[in-house]
């Protein structure tokens, strides 16, 4: 098998696996009671918090200073508040 087709096959396998993980997480979230769902949505309703969650979804380990730089947050105290 050529390297290019092997890379494509691995990418397809990864995407299928990742999409399956996302669907499972969505089902678990939908099974949560409404009170918990409201709390989660309220927490993510602030744009900085949503951006933090998105960053951590991409990189599970990220130093506070690196995160502050990527989010262009003026002070670390602002970031740690969220």
């Amino acid at each position: 098998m050529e390297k290019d087709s092997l890379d494509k096959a691995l990418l397809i396998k990864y995407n299928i696996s990742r999409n399956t993980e996302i669907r499972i997480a969505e089902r678990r979230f939908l099974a949560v009671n409404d009170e918990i769902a409201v709390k989660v949505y309220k927490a993510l309703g602030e744009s900085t918090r949503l951006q933090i969650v998105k960053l951590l979804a991409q990189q599970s380990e990220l130093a506070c200073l690196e995160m502050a730089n990527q989010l262009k947050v003026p002070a670390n105290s602002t970031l740690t508040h969220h």
Side-chain angles (χ1 to χ4, degrees), residues 16-75:
I16 290 170
S17 173
R18 188 74 181 130
N19 289 339
T20 301
E21 289 174 21
I22 291 169
R23 283 194 300 271
I24 290 169
E26 287 171 345
R27 277 191 226 122
R28 286 183 184 152
F29 182 75
L30 291 174
V32 170
N33 73 36
D34 290 347
E35 289 179 34
I36 294 172
V38 167
K39 288 179 183 180
V40 170
Y41 282 121
K42 277 185 180 179
L44 296 178
E46 205 285 322
S47 64
T48 303
R49 291 180 189 149
L50 182 58
Q51 291 173 356
I52 291 168
V53 170
K54 285 180 176 181
L55 271 178
L56 291 174
Q58 295 170 354
Q59 305 172 40
S60 61
E61 293 184 17
L62 194 60
C64 189
L65 183 60
E66 292 175 47
M67 190 180 298
N69 289 337
Q70 288 186 30
L71 295 175
K72 296 178 178 53
V73 175

